[in-house]
């Protein structure tokens, strides 16, 4: 997926090439959102796609306003390939997903008028209540960011990946607007679990969808689960690697403090993960066209099995 201009030892020219060259850690970089609302919108997308696309900008602005501070993330999606705008009356696919471990679900519906979504109770949706919207679907979906107006890496790498993999996973792969972390392109989020991935490869797409279909997850190229804070994402992935645990719903956050996250397994075991915040050097651009900036992350220093509570 590398831009040919960045090969043959040339200096990195894009944010994704910088991140890759510096081996920037992926863990703890996923978008934080308990629930995801994904609306099909054909045609072009601007940088702020909800108000800069062929979606009525008033509806887009109102959806963003309703979702703000609720824990719901609103995405535009479209089928891979060419993107003709099929008109305002064409049916649109909508996905509703809740990502909390042990309570995750994915529902799907079709509608012709996106304004209907303004009736959704966003706070209830964030808590995991679907309120009767959509019908359950057991097939996971993988949303790959291709929002080139937000960052060129998403277009260069995301579209190339989908061009190759779209026919193999028809109906399970969608293009989507910005999910955060262009420098990790190609990026994707699998629903309903909410696990985010970066630097996706064709093999990675196969592995992510195969695992999700079986109720599992893969830690390879994983950025974290969106239901968790970013430091808890680091803790969970570190514990999964330590245990070799891949069951999708196995772990949840019991508590977290500044430098400690306690994770609970569904079998009752609990672990304390001690974290340390570190600064990454040298500075690197977090988006194409931006000046290099200082970056940081968390690392797991200690994993300790806790005694059974009395």
């Amino acid at each position: 997926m590398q831009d040919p201009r960045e090969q043959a030892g040339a200096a990195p020219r894009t944010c994704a090439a910088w991140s890759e060259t510096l081996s920037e850690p992926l863990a703890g970089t996923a978008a934080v959102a308990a629930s995801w609302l994904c609306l099909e919108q054909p045609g072009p997308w601007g940088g702020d796609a909800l108000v800069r696309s062929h979606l009525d900008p008033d509806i887009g602005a109102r959806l963003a306003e309703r979702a703000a501070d609720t824990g719901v993330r609103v995405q535009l999606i479209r089928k891979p390939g060419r993107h003709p705008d099929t008109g305002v009356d064409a049916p649109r696919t909508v996905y509703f997903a809740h990502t909390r471990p042990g309570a995750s679900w994915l529902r799907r519906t079709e509608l012709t008028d996106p304004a209907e979504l303004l009736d959704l109770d966003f706070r209830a949706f964030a808590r995991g209540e679907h309120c009767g919207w959509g019908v359950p679907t057991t097939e996971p979906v993988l949303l790959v960011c291709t929002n080139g107006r937000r960052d060129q890496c998403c277009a260069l790498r995301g579209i190339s990946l989908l061009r190759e993999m779209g026919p193999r996973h028809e109906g399970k792969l969608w293009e989507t607007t910005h999910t955060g972390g262009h420098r990790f392109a190609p990026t994707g989020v699998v629903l309903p679990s909410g696990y985010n991935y970066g630097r996706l490869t064709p093999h990675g797409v196969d592995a992510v969808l195969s695992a999700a279909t079986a109720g599992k997850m893969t830690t390879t190229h994983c950025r974290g689960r969106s239901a968790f804070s970013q430091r808890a994402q680091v803790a969970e992935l570190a514990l999964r690697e330590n245990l070799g645990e891949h069951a999708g719903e196995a772990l949840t956050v019991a508590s977290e403090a500044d430098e400690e996250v306690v994770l609970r397994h569904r079998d009752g075991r609990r672990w304390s993960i001690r974290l340390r915040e570190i600064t990454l050097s040298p500075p690197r651009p977090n988006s194409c066209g931006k000046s290099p900036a200082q970056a940081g992350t968390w690392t797991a220093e200690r994993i300790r099995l806790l005694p059974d509570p009395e």
Side-chain angles (χ1 to χ4, degrees), residues 88-173:
V88 296
D89 295 326
R92 302 161 186 254
T93 296
V94 181
Y95 286 104
F96 307 86
H98 186 64
T99 67
R100 294 196 187 282
S104 62
W105 48 258
L106 181 65
R107 297 173 72 89
R108 182 183 186 276
T109 192
E110 288 191 350
L111 51 79
T112 57
D113 183 5
E116 293 179 38
L117 295 173
L118 296 172
D119 294 329
L120 176 66
D121 184 337
F122 279 83
R123 295 200 177 277
F125 181 34
R127 294 193 300 268
E129 301 171 24
H130 57 72
C131 303
W133 287 82
V135 295
T137 177
T138 57
E139 293 289 335
V141 294
L142 179 62
L143 315 180
V144 176
C145 181
T146 60
N147 196 356
R149 290 298 181 93
R150 190 67 180 261
D151 191 279
Q152 65 172 324
C153 289
C154 299
L156 287 171
R157 299 180 177 219
I159 291 174
S160 175
L161 179 67
L162 287 173
R163 186 179 295 122
E164 179 175 353
M165 301 304 293
R168 187 184 305 183
H169 297 289
E170 187 173 358
K172 291 185 177 181
L173 280 176

Side-chain angles (χ1 to χ4, degrees), residues 180-215:
H182 341 274
R183 65 192 185 279
F184 304 120
T187 61
V189 55
V190 62
L191 298 176
S193 68
Y195 280 107
N196 283 232
Y197 290 86
R199 302 183 191 131
L200 278 169
T201 62
H203 176 73
V205 169
D206 287 338
V208 166
L209 285 172
S210 176
T213 300

